[in-house]
Amino acid sequence: MSSIDLQIMWNRLIAVVEEQATTLIRTAFSTSVREAGDLSAGLFDRQGRMMAQAVTGTPGHVNAMAESVTHFTREIGAQNIFEGDVFITNDPWKGTGHLHDITVVTPVFRKGVHIGFFACTAHVVDIGGRGFGPDAGEVYEEGLLIPITKFAEKGQVSSLLVQMIRANVRTPDQTVGDMYSLAACNEAGNRRLQDMMDEFSIDDLDMLSDFIIDSSRKATLNAIAKVPSGSYDSTMTVDGYEAPVHMQVRLTIEGDRLLADFDGTSGMSKFGVNCPEVYTRAYACYALKCAIAPDVPNNTGSLEPFHITAPEGCILAARRPAPVSVRHVLGHLVPDVVLGALHQAMGGTVPAEGASALWNIQISARPSDPDSNLPGREVLMFNSGGTGARPTLDGMSATAFPSGVSTMSVEVTEQVGPITVWRKDLREGSGGAGTWRGGLGQVIEIEPRHGYDLFFNAMFDRIDNPARGRDGGGCGGNGRVELADGTKLRGKGRQKIASGQRLVLSLPGGGGYGDPARRDPELVRADLAAGYITPEQARNDYGLED
């Protein structure tokens, strides 16, 4: 078979896994999946190597899932893999970092022979325990942990497993429904793959997998070799929970060998901001690959050349049974510290720091009168601050980087639970000053509807430590959490919004890039006219007098 044939099939696989992901979005019960795209989907060979991933999805899910399938193959065992099987887990250390992410793996058979796997991951709204928030002291408090097991064997769903899950979550129909959606997603991918294999008259994936992974590995190694050799250090302080967190990385490049070592990073927290190393590797690889080899498709071959290590027991390589529920907060900040080191080797390539960590908010709506017949509801919102300015462009406002998820619409969110979103605006003045301005955060104002109180789990960062600018650019605006009357609230942990009160979230902005004095005055005037900056900023930061 020629390399041209293999390249055509490789391109077709991207379409196959994209349809796989689209099926999950269309059938999912949780708004985090169907509205925000908090998911991943991909095809793996018999060895558990990722051959192709859907464009739709998050780097944390995709790159962590690239490791997790090998855990399935090892623990299930080749002798126990049958046609019609569906495997499942949400083990944070063998999946994608916390209990709310369900990973489902389905073996692929052709003419009775096992040839590979489809896998997918999605964030479910509830998995029991304390709920999605950082307050737990151990992973055992954070919800139901499903070990690597069979959701279905030979086409027969495990009724006991389903009963166990339904008995331990607040949203049984939604959570179990999402599991069936994950299984359906893999089945959709399998149907399209079988069609493709019929068309090209092939019965296994071995040659195609070797071609994809070897080609991607070679291209990535060549890209790394173009980066100047040396050691580059970067540090960053972020809010953490009970104490600030020091993040530190040393990036060592020698020819086509690259190592990112997080030695020196703070130890584990008592609370659920800890990050399993699999998730740290996922986002560190993402940052490096975006900057060094952005055009190489994402698969096992393109990920292997990036060697990521963190000392076991630090906050970015948390040991079991540490609480890890909101591991995304530090995980989403990993690219900023990694890109800070890479900037020293590849100046003029990477952006300034951004808000980075999503400002997710998990809301438990409960009747103000416990004797009323009003039902309780669980609401999850994904919200994004501003990204850092780029070397030749302003930052993006209210945009999720590095996660890439979409913001949930207000209309859909208000249909899910008894809340009213009174305001959702870009936040004037929150972008860091620079030759290129940082992206703006946003202001969101939420109130419980009549008869309800809200209990929300805060999992916010960049409040005490804003996104830093680069090459003379200014810091982005700090985040704030408060009531409409100005009462300050905490950036982490469970808090109450009583009936009649309003929660106001002011999301952080991204850092600026370059000396603000060099910004085009016409761009400053345009920002002022659009309400992106204040008159004081135009005068003090940019020297605009008229």
Side-chain angles (χ1 to χ4, degrees), residues 74 96 133 151 164 212 253 261 269 287 343 350 367 379 437 467 527:
R74 182 171 58 253
T96 59
F151 179 71
M164 288 281 289
I212 289 171
I253 302 172
D261 184 4
S269 169
H343 175 65
V350 305
V379 182
R437 174 184 44 74
D527 283 350

mmCIF file with all atom_site columns, all heavy atoms in Angstrom, residues 74 96 133 151 164 212 253 261 269 287 343 350 367 379 437 467 527:
data_model
loop_
_atom_site.group_PDB
_atom_site.id
_atom_site.type_symbol
_atom_site.label_atom_id
_atom_site.label_alt_id
_atom_site.label_comp_id
_atom_site.label_asym_id
_atom_site.label_entity_id
_atom_site.label_seq_id
_atom_site.pdbx_PDB_ins_code
_atom_site.Cartn_x
_atom_site.Cartn_y
_atom_site.Cartn_z
_atom_site.occupancy
_atom_site.B_iso_or_equiv
_atom_site.pdbx_formal_charge
_atom_site.auth_seq_id
_atom_site.auth_comp_id
_atom_site.auth_asym_id
_atom_site.auth_atom_id
_atom_site.pdbx_PDB_model_num
ATOM 1   N N   . ARG A 1 74  ? -4.324  -3.063 29.830 1.00 0.00 ? 74  ARG A N   1
ATOM 2   C CA  . ARG A 1 74  ? -3.561  -3.842 30.805 1.00 0.00 ? 74  ARG A CA  1
ATOM 3   C C   . ARG A 1 74  ? -4.477  -4.479 31.858 1.00 0.00 ? 74  ARG A C   1
ATOM 4   O O   . ARG A 1 74  ? -4.314  -5.658 32.204 1.00 0.00 ? 74  ARG A O   1
ATOM 5   C CB  . ARG A 1 74  ? -2.526  -2.943 31.487 1.00 0.00 ? 74  ARG A CB  1
ATOM 6   C CG  . ARG A 1 74  ? -1.636  -3.682 32.485 1.00 0.00 ? 74  ARG A CG  1
ATOM 7   C CD  . ARG A 1 74  ? -0.502  -2.809 32.977 1.00 0.00 ? 74  ARG A CD  1
ATOM 8   N NE  . ARG A 1 74  ? -0.980  -1.576 33.602 1.00 0.00 ? 74  ARG A NE  1
ATOM 9   C CZ  . ARG A 1 74  ? -0.884  -0.369 33.039 1.00 0.00 ? 74  ARG A CZ  1
ATOM 10  N NH1 . ARG A 1 74  ? -0.347  -0.253 31.829 1.00 0.00 ? 74  ARG A NH1 1
ATOM 11  N NH2 . ARG A 1 74  ? -1.323  0.701  33.648 1.00 0.00 ? 74  ARG A NH2 1
ATOM 12  N N   . THR A 1 96  ? -8.821  10.960 33.417 1.00 0.00 ? 96  THR A N   1
ATOM 13  C CA  . THR A 1 96  ? -8.419  12.308 33.022 1.00 0.00 ? 96  THR A CA  1
ATOM 14  C C   . THR A 1 96  ? -8.392  13.296 34.189 1.00 0.00 ? 96  THR A C   1
ATOM 15  O O   . THR A 1 96  ? -8.616  14.482 34.002 1.00 0.00 ? 96  THR A O   1
ATOM 16  C CB  . THR A 1 96  ? -9.344  12.843 31.911 1.00 0.00 ? 96  THR A CB  1
ATOM 17  O OG1 . THR A 1 96  ? -10.688 12.862 32.379 1.00 0.00 ? 96  THR A OG1 1
ATOM 18  C CG2 . THR A 1 96  ? -9.282  11.965 30.677 1.00 0.00 ? 96  THR A CG2 1
ATOM 19  N N   . GLY A 1 133 ? -16.547 20.738 43.465 1.00 0.00 ? 133 GLY A N   1
ATOM 20  C CA  . GLY A 1 133 ? -15.993 21.848 44.233 1.00 0.00 ? 133 GLY A CA  1
ATOM 21  C C   . GLY A 1 133 ? -14.727 21.412 44.936 1.00 0.00 ? 133 GLY A C   1
ATOM 22  O O   . GLY A 1 133 ? -14.378 20.226 44.965 1.00 0.00 ? 133 GLY A O   1
ATOM 23  N N   . PHE A 1 151 ? -18.824 -1.724 31.493 1.00 0.00 ? 151 PHE A N   1
ATOM 24  C CA  . PHE A 1 151 ? -20.183 -1.167 31.486 1.00 0.00 ? 151 PHE A CA  1
ATOM 25  C C   . PHE A 1 151 ? -21.115 -2.143 30.782 1.00 0.00 ? 151 PHE A C   1
ATOM 26  O O   . PHE A 1 151 ? -22.289 -2.277 31.147 1.00 0.00 ? 151 PHE A O   1
ATOM 27  C CB  . PHE A 1 151 ? -20.167 0.187  30.762 1.00 0.00 ? 151 PHE A CB  1
ATOM 28  C CG  . PHE A 1 151 ? -21.499 0.854  30.673 1.00 0.00 ? 151 PHE A CG  1
ATOM 29  C CD1 . PHE A 1 151 ? -22.104 1.402  31.789 1.00 0.00 ? 151 PHE A CD1 1
ATOM 30  C CD2 . PHE A 1 151 ? -22.161 0.953  29.455 1.00 0.00 ? 151 PHE A CD2 1
ATOM 31  C CE1 . PHE A 1 151 ? -23.340 2.027  31.703 1.00 0.00 ? 151 PHE A CE1 1
ATOM 32  C CE2 . PHE A 1 151 ? -23.393 1.573  29.354 1.00 0.00 ? 151 PHE A CE2 1
ATOM 33  C CZ  . PHE A 1 151 ? -23.987 2.118  30.479 1.00 0.00 ? 151 PHE A CZ  1
ATOM 34  N N   . MET A 1 164 ? -25.851 0.919  40.988 1.00 0.00 ? 164 MET A N   1
ATOM 35  C CA  . MET A 1 164 ? -24.895 1.518  41.926 1.00 0.00 ? 164 MET A CA  1
ATOM 36  C C   . MET A 1 164 ? -24.702 3.002  41.618 1.00 0.00 ? 164 MET A C   1
ATOM 37  O O   . MET A 1 164 ? -24.673 3.837  42.537 1.00 0.00 ? 164 MET A O   1
ATOM 38  C CB  . MET A 1 164 ? -23.552 0.797  41.817 1.00 0.00 ? 164 MET A CB  1
ATOM 39  C CG  . MET A 1 164 ? -23.536 -0.603 42.395 1.00 0.00 ? 164 MET A CG  1
ATOM 40  S SD  . MET A 1 164 ? -23.387 -0.615 44.194 1.00 0.00 ? 164 MET A SD  1
ATOM 41  C CE  . MET A 1 164 ? -21.693 -0.089 44.398 1.00 0.00 ? 164 MET A CE  1
ATOM 42  N N   . ILE A 1 212 ? 0.989   6.466  10.770 1.00 0.00 ? 212 ILE A N   1
ATOM 43  C CA  . ILE A 1 212 ? 0.561   7.702  11.441 1.00 0.00 ? 212 ILE A CA  1
ATOM 44  C C   . ILE A 1 212 ? 1.514   8.057  12.574 1.00 0.00 ? 212 ILE A C   1
ATOM 45  O O   . ILE A 1 212 ? 1.998   9.193  12.686 1.00 0.00 ? 212 ILE A O   1
ATOM 46  C CB  . ILE A 1 212 ? -0.876  7.543  11.975 1.00 0.00 ? 212 ILE A CB  1
ATOM 47  C CG1 . ILE A 1 212 ? -1.877  7.522  10.819 1.00 0.00 ? 212 ILE A CG1 1
ATOM 48  C CG2 . ILE A 1 212 ? -1.219  8.659  12.966 1.00 0.00 ? 212 ILE A CG2 1
ATOM 49  C CD1 . ILE A 1 212 ? -3.294  7.161  11.234 1.00 0.00 ? 212 ILE A CD1 1
ATOM 50  N N   . ILE A 1 253 ? 16.305  21.562 26.456 1.00 0.00 ? 253 ILE A N   1
ATOM 51  C CA  . ILE A 1 253 ? 16.261  21.129 25.064 1.00 0.00 ? 253 ILE A CA  1
ATOM 52  C C   . ILE A 1 253 ? 17.671  20.834 24.594 1.00 0.00 ? 253 ILE A C   1
ATOM 53  O O   . ILE A 1 253 ? 18.568  21.678 24.702 1.00 0.00 ? 253 ILE A O   1
ATOM 54  C CB  . ILE A 1 253 ? 15.615  22.209 24.168 1.00 0.00 ? 253 ILE A CB  1
ATOM 55  C CG1 . ILE A 1 253 ? 14.197  22.532 24.666 1.00 0.00 ? 253 ILE A CG1 1
ATOM 56  C CG2 . ILE A 1 253 ? 15.571  21.749 22.711 1.00 0.00 ? 253 ILE A CG2 1
ATOM 57  C CD1 . ILE A 1 253 ? 13.561  23.706 23.974 1.00 0.00 ? 253 ILE A CD1 1
ATOM 58  N N   . ASP A 1 261 ? 10.550  19.782 33.448 1.00 0.00 ? 261 ASP A N   1
ATOM 59  C CA  . ASP A 1 261 ? 10.610  19.242 34.805 1.00 0.00 ? 261 ASP A CA  1
ATOM 60  C C   . ASP A 1 261 ? 10.045  20.274 35.775 1.00 0.00 ? 261 ASP A C   1
ATOM 61  O O   . ASP A 1 261 ? 10.529  21.411 35.839 1.00 0.00 ? 261 ASP A O   1
ATOM 62  C CB  . ASP A 1 261 ? 12.061  18.908 35.159 1.00 0.00 ? 261 ASP A CB  1
ATOM 63  C CG  . ASP A 1 261 ? 12.202  18.249 36.525 1.00 0.00 ? 261 ASP A CG  1
ATOM 64  O OD1 . ASP A 1 261 ? 11.166  17.986 37.170 1.00 0.00 ? 261 ASP A OD1 1
ATOM 65  O OD2 . ASP A 1 261 ? 13.348  18.015 36.950 1.00 0.00 ? 261 ASP A OD2 1
ATOM 66  N N   . SER A 1 269 ? -1.980  20.347 48.276 1.00 0.00 ? 269 SER A N   1
ATOM 67  C CA  . SER A 1 269 ? -2.920  21.100 49.101 1.00 0.00 ? 269 SER A CA  1
ATOM 68  C C   . SER A 1 269 ? -3.764  20.138 49.936 1.00 0.00 ? 269 SER A C   1
ATOM 69  O O   . SER A 1 269 ? -3.905  18.956 49.602 1.00 0.00 ? 269 SER A O   1
ATOM 70  C CB  . SER A 1 269 ? -3.833  21.938 48.198 1.00 0.00 ? 269 SER A CB  1
ATOM 71  O OG  . SER A 1 269 ? -4.911  22.494 48.930 1.00 0.00 ? 269 SER A OG  1
ATOM 72  N N   . ALA A 1 287 ? 0.777   22.886 25.527 1.00 0.00 ? 287 ALA A N   1
ATOM 73  C CA  . ALA A 1 287 ? 1.449   24.175 25.367 1.00 0.00 ? 287 ALA A CA  1
ATOM 74  C C   . ALA A 1 287 ? 2.676   24.040 24.465 1.00 0.00 ? 287 ALA A C   1
ATOM 75  O O   . ALA A 1 287 ? 2.888   24.855 23.555 1.00 0.00 ? 287 ALA A O   1
ATOM 76  C CB  . ALA A 1 287 ? 1.858   24.717 26.738 1.00 0.00 ? 287 ALA A CB  1
ATOM 77  N N   . HIS A 1 343 ? 9.277   31.023 25.973 1.00 0.00 ? 343 HIS A N   1
ATOM 78  C CA  . HIS A 1 343 ? 9.464   32.379 25.437 1.00 0.00 ? 343 HIS A CA  1
ATOM 79  C C   . HIS A 1 343 ? 10.936  32.760 25.395 1.00 0.00 ? 343 HIS A C   1
ATOM 80  O O   . HIS A 1 343 ? 11.371  33.500 24.496 1.00 0.00 ? 343 HIS A O   1
ATOM 81  C CB  . HIS A 1 343 ? 8.678   33.367 26.295 1.00 0.00 ? 343 HIS A CB  1
ATOM 82  C CG  . HIS A 1 343 ? 8.880   34.811 25.905 1.00 0.00 ? 343 HIS A CG  1
ATOM 83  N ND1 . HIS A 1 343 ? 8.474   35.312 24.700 1.00 0.00 ? 343 HIS A ND1 1
ATOM 84  C CD2 . HIS A 1 343 ? 9.465   35.841 26.576 1.00 0.00 ? 343 HIS A CD2 1
ATOM 85  C CE1 . HIS A 1 343 ? 8.774   36.601 24.627 1.00 0.00 ? 343 HIS A CE1 1
ATOM 86  N NE2 . HIS A 1 343 ? 9.391   36.940 25.752 1.00 0.00 ? 343 HIS A NE2 1
ATOM 87  N N   . VAL A 1 350 ? 5.093   33.080 21.617 1.00 0.00 ? 350 VAL A N   1
ATOM 88  C CA  . VAL A 1 350 ? 4.023   32.675 22.542 1.00 0.00 ? 350 VAL A CA  1
ATOM 89  C C   . VAL A 1 350 ? 3.310   33.892 23.117 1.00 0.00 ? 350 VAL A C   1
ATOM 90  O O   . VAL A 1 350 ? 3.873   34.991 23.191 1.00 0.00 ? 350 VAL A O   1
ATOM 91  C CB  . VAL A 1 350 ? 4.583   31.795 23.678 1.00 0.00 ? 350 VAL A CB  1
ATOM 92  C CG1 . VAL A 1 350 ? 5.325   30.605 23.099 1.00 0.00 ? 350 VAL A CG1 1
ATOM 93  C CG2 . VAL A 1 350 ? 5.483   32.582 24.617 1.00 0.00 ? 350 VAL A CG2 1
ATOM 94  N N   . PRO A 1 367 ? -34.765 24.824 47.821 1.00 0.00 ? 367 PRO A N   1
ATOM 95  C CA  . PRO A 1 367 ? -35.887 25.648 48.285 1.00 0.00 ? 367 PRO A CA  1
ATOM 96  C C   . PRO A 1 367 ? -35.531 26.419 49.552 1.00 0.00 ? 367 PRO A C   1
ATOM 97  O O   . PRO A 1 367 ? -34.903 25.864 50.465 1.00 0.00 ? 367 PRO A O   1
ATOM 98  C CB  . PRO A 1 367 ? -36.992 24.619 48.555 1.00 0.00 ? 367 PRO A CB  1
ATOM 99  C CG  . PRO A 1 367 ? -36.598 23.397 47.804 1.00 0.00 ? 367 PRO A CG  1
ATOM 100 C CD  . PRO A 1 367 ? -35.101 23.391 47.756 1.00 0.00 ? 367 PRO A CD  1
ATOM 101 N N   . VAL A 1 379 ? -26.846 22.998 38.694 1.00 0.00 ? 379 VAL A N   1
ATOM 102 C CA  . VAL A 1 379 ? -26.545 23.807 37.503 1.00 0.00 ? 379 VAL A CA  1
ATOM 103 C C   . VAL A 1 379 ? -25.037 23.990 37.407 1.00 0.00 ? 379 VAL A C   1
ATOM 104 O O   . VAL A 1 379 ? -24.386 24.350 38.395 1.00 0.00 ? 379 VAL A O   1
ATOM 105 C CB  . VAL A 1 379 ? -27.233 25.189 37.575 1.00 0.00 ? 379 VAL A CB  1
ATOM 106 C CG1 . VAL A 1 379 ? -26.951 25.990 36.308 1.00 0.00 ? 379 VAL A CG1 1
ATOM 107 C CG2 . VAL A 1 379 ? -28.727 25.048 37.812 1.00 0.00 ? 379 VAL A CG2 1
ATOM 108 N N   . ARG A 1 437 ? -3.086  44.635 23.263 1.00 0.00 ? 437 ARG A N   1
ATOM 109 C CA  . ARG A 1 437 ? -3.864  44.601 24.514 1.00 0.00 ? 437 ARG A CA  1
ATOM 110 C C   . ARG A 1 437 ? -4.309  43.179 24.856 1.00 0.00 ? 437 ARG A C   1
ATOM 111 O O   . ARG A 1 437 ? -4.639  42.377 23.991 1.00 0.00 ? 437 ARG A O   1
ATOM 112 C CB  . ARG A 1 437 ? -5.091  45.504 24.356 1.00 0.00 ? 437 ARG A CB  1
ATOM 113 C CG  . ARG A 1 437 ? -6.070  45.441 25.527 1.00 0.00 ? 437 ARG A CG  1
ATOM 114 C CD  . ARG A 1 437 ? -7.310  46.266 25.279 1.00 0.00 ? 437 ARG A CD  1
ATOM 115 N NE  . ARG A 1 437 ? -7.876  46.118 23.956 1.00 0.00 ? 437 ARG A NE  1
ATOM 116 C CZ  . ARG A 1 437 ? -8.555  45.054 23.531 1.00 0.00 ? 437 ARG A CZ  1
ATOM 117 N NH1 . ARG A 1 437 ? -8.720  44.006 24.333 1.00 0.00 ? 437 ARG A NH1 1
ATOM 118 N NH2 . ARG A 1 437 ? -9.053  45.028 22.302 1.00 0.00 ? 437 ARG A NH2 1
ATOM 119 N N   . ALA A 1 467 ? -2.930  37.761 35.581 1.00 0.00 ? 467 ALA A N   1
ATOM 120 C CA  . ALA A 1 467 ? -2.118  37.334 34.439 1.00 0.00 ? 467 ALA A CA  1
ATOM 121 C C   . ALA A 1 467 ? -1.067  38.393 34.134 1.00 0.00 ? 467 ALA A C   1
ATOM 122 O O   . ALA A 1 467 ? -1.382  39.581 34.010 1.00 0.00 ? 467 ALA A O   1
ATOM 123 C CB  . ALA A 1 467 ? -3.023  37.113 33.231 1.00 0.00 ? 467 ALA A CB  1
ATOM 124 N N   . ASP A 1 527 ? -10.557 51.207 20.961 1.00 0.00 ? 527 ASP A N   1
ATOM 125 C CA  . ASP A 1 527 ? -10.845 50.533 22.229 1.00 0.00 ? 527 ASP A CA  1
ATOM 126 C C   . ASP A 1 527 ? -11.686 51.416 23.142 1.00 0.00 ? 527 ASP A C   1
ATOM 127 O O   . ASP A 1 527 ? -12.617 50.943 23.814 1.00 0.00 ? 527 ASP A O   1
ATOM 128 C CB  . ASP A 1 527 ? -9.535  50.172 22.947 1.00 0.00 ? 527 ASP A CB  1
ATOM 129 C CG  . ASP A 1 527 ? -8.858  48.952 22.349 1.00 0.00 ? 527 ASP A CG  1
ATOM 130 O OD1 . ASP A 1 527 ? -9.470  48.271 21.515 1.00 0.00 ? 527 ASP A OD1 1
ATOM 131 O OD2 . ASP A 1 527 ? -7.698  48.676 22.743 1.00 0.00 ? 527 ASP A OD2 1
#
